Amino acid sequence: MYVKRKDTGEELFRGPASSAKAFYGSGKRLLDRIVDTTDPEHPVEIQPGVEVELELCYENTAPEKLLYLADTDWYVVREQETGKPMPDEVRARRSAIRVSL
């Protein structure tokens, strides 16, 4: 599993699913912030960071395909309980994964 910037597609993290999800967090991250901590009691911000939107990406492997299905099962439950449809892209990817497994 990996995490990339939505705006540039730059890969920022690759690793186990739990670590990638932790890095992804809320889907936004402050990047490129530089702080001089020479004096730990009085850190100085040299360059402010830029908040970027992130995208959590699944590898094209059987274990990650199954993980995607598990991670998006809540859409199925929500649709059954409330009638609110799951996003088309999620439905399409879930169908494609089930066919490929």
Side-chain angles (χ1 to χ4, degrees), residues 6-56:
K6 278 190 176 182
D7 58 349
T8 64
E10 175 188 5
E11 185 178 309
L12 300 174
F13 180 90
R14 182 178 293 267
S18 59
S19 299
K21 288 178 180 180
F23 183 89
Y24 176 77
S26 67
K28 292 185 178 183
R29 185 168 273 267
L30 189 63
L31 297 179
D32 302 325
R33 181 172 185 240
I34 301 173
V35 178
D36 179 359
T37 57
T38 306
D39 179 359
E41 292 188 25
H42 300 96
V44 177
E45 184 175 66
I46 296 171
Q47 175 179 317
V50 175
E51 187 173 73
V52 297
E53 287 191 54
L54 305 176
E55 183 176 350
L56 187 61

